[in-house]
Amino acid sequence: MEKKNIDWSNLGFGYIPTEYRYVSNYKNGTWDEGALTTDSTVVINECAGVLQYAQTVFEGLKAYTTEDGRIVTFRPDLNAARLESSALRLEMPAFPQDRFVDAVTQLVKANAAYVPPYGSGATLYIRPYIFGTNPVIGVKPADEYQFRVFCTPVGPYFKGGVRPLTIRVCDFDRAAPHGTGHIKAGLNYAMSLHAIVTAHQEGYDENMYLDAATRTKVEETGGANFLFVTKDNKVVTPKSPTILPSITRRSLVHVAKEYLGLEVEEREIYVSELKDMAECGLCGTAAVISPVGKIVDHGTEICFPSGMSQMGPITKKLYDTLTGIQMGRLEAPEGWIHVIE
């Protein structure tokens, strides 16, 4: 299979259309068989539920070329389960988990020429999503939905190497207690746009959101979970019912315990504790771990001893181990790697 003539090493993190995408429609209480299509256009009614009441949920995962030349995806079963949980929270029909994995497999196989070669630093980003399609003018769930998956080749999240981030403690709340912070709904990301734009205008890379109830505990950023390392090398992650359960964070916690032999703790983390942490990172699909050098809390700077100029030593070990598993350089736990071809 001949790869597309793309300058893989200079790809940015943006949308490049590929030849195929997968589409399945829900009507009269059931999903149709679904199929691949070359049509990238979505046509819906002007009064569609997604346009009126933001009834949409999505996922994000990647396909990789491993060292031995296989094309694989990483833990797609967890993305399938999370999409189902998100859909049910917004009164949307769940797309069957086995069909989700099959749809991703079909899509990546059909677009194999767009999967970047091993060692290029690029990957194939995959975006599954569901949205309400029929007219809805009263506030209620839609009756008809579409499940789609498209993919696009993307470059590394960091162009020119890892640069530790500077983050501000945000005055806006990301999620309310008993709200939708724990699901991957488009509405959660829409509300974060103003906060991230203003953060960038003020010279910050991201926002740290606190718990809405007390504003004393660390939650997450607009699109990633936090991971901290204490000065005695313990890995600590925030615990909260309003945090999105990151598949990358879950995988890094396993790597820390089982591969690196580190002590790991998931618990409430107070802002007052941050000054005592040695390392901080943001974890998610896009970059695996993004190092954080400094957090600014309304003028007070919290600098992490390991991470001001480069990725901290424990964070680096976590990054190297997980990417080694994804790329086939290290043996993966059972079920983590789904081979496409």
Side-chain angles (χ1 to χ4, degrees):
M1 181 270 304
E2 187 176 349
K3 295 291 185 181
K4 292 292 181 181
N5 185 22
I6 295 174
D7 186 1
W8 305 107
S9 61
N10 287 313
L11 276 178
F13 201 87
Y15 173 72
I16 298 173
T18 56
E19 291 177 16
Y20 296 95
R21 59 275 308 140
Y22 181 94
V23 181
S24 178
N25 291 291
Y26 180 90
K27 190 174 183 178
N28 298 323
T30 187
W31 290 101
D32 66 18
E33 291 183 1
L36 294 172
T37 177
T38 58
D39 188 359
S40 62
T41 303
V42 176
V43 179
I44 51 177
N45 188 279
E46 64 184 352
C47 194
V50 63
L51 300 178
Q52 304 308 314
Y53 303 116
Q55 210 180 6
T56 180
V57 294
F58 70 99
E59 276 298 321
L61 63 159
K62 288 181 175 180
Y64 312 84
T65 300
T66 60
E67 193 170 22
D68 60 5
R70 297 178 301 165
I71 294 176
V72 306
T73 56
F74 182 70
R75 310 190 79 176
D77 56 315
L78 297 188
N79 292 99
R82 191 169 64 181
L83 186 70
E84 178 178 286
S85 176
S86 297
L88 294 177
R89 176 62 177 81
L90 293 191
E91 289 297 326
M92 304 167 71
F95 194 74
Q97 294 185 31
D98 58 337
R99 289 191 57 191
F100 176 103
V101 175
D102 180 64
V104 168
T105 302
Q106 288 187 49
L107 178 75
V108 175
K109 188 175 292 187
N111 290 299
Y114 290 91
V115 180
Y118 175 79
S120 65
T123 55
L124 187 74
Y125 186 82
I126 305 162
R127 171 54 59 85
Y129 57 113
I130 307 173
F131 55 96
T133 56
N134 68 291
V136 179
I137 195 64
V139 181
K140 64 176 183 178
D143 298 313
E144 298 175 9
Y145 297 86
Q146 189 168 100
F147 168 79
R148 295 180 72 97
V149 195
F150 68 83
C151 58
T152 182
V154 296
Y157 196 75
F158 298 111
K159 295 298 287 184
V162 173
R163 176 182 62 84
L165 308 175
T166 298
I167 293 177
R168 70 170 182 180
V169 174
C170 189
D171 289 327
F172 295 102
D173 292 327
R174 175 188 166 272
H178 314 295
T180 58
H182 64 293
I183 68 169
K184 205 165 177 68
L187 55 90
N188 292 341
Y189 295 79
M191 61 70 56
S192 72
L193 296 178
H194 177 66
I196 193 62
V197 167
T198 56
H200 289 166
Q201 289 171 345
E202 294 173 15
Y204 300 102
D205 297 296
E206 252 293 2
N207 292 292
M208 170 180 279
Y209 291 105
L210 307 181
D211 71 296
T214 70
R215 297 195 55 78
T216 60
K217 292 174 281 191
V218 176
E219 293 248 308
E220 58 177 298
T221 69
N225 281 189
F226 278 102
L227 182 147
F228 297 94
V229 180
T230 64
K231 291 176 181 176
D232 58 355
N233 293 338
K234 180 189 295 183
V235 175
V236 185
T237 62
K239 183 177 184 179
S240 167
T242 55
I243 289 178
L244 183 74
S246 165
I247 294 166
T248 302
R249 181 199 55 78
R250 177 172 170 175
S251 302
L252 286 168
V253 164
H254 181 90
V255 162
K257 290 179 182 176
E258 305 301 330
Y259 282 70
L260 302 180
L262 298 171
E263 185 178 351
V264 180
E265 190 175 12
E266 183 182 8
R267 61 171 175 80
E268 293 181 335
I269 299 176
Y270 288 85
V271 177
S272 59
E273 297 180 67
L274 297 182
K275 64 182 185 301
D276 299 319
M277 298 293 182
E279 300 177 41
C280 174
L282 306 181
C283 47
T285 300
V288 182
I289 306 180
S290 311
V292 175
K294 179 166 59 178
I295 295 172
V296 180
D297 183 6
H298 299 86
T300 300
E301 293 189 352
I302 303 163
C303 300
F304 298 99
S306 298
M308 285 299 293
S309 60
Q310 61 186 357
M311 191 177 285
I314 299 298
T315 305
K316 184 70 162 60
K317 286 180 182 178
L318 288 168
Y319 175 85
D320 288 344
T321 305
L322 187 57
T323 54
I325 290 169
Q326 291 171 334
M327 294 296 179
R329 296 189 296 268
L330 297 174
E331 185 175 352
E334 185 176 355
W336 278 29
I337 303 299
H338 176 70
V339 179
I340 304 295
E341 61 174 29

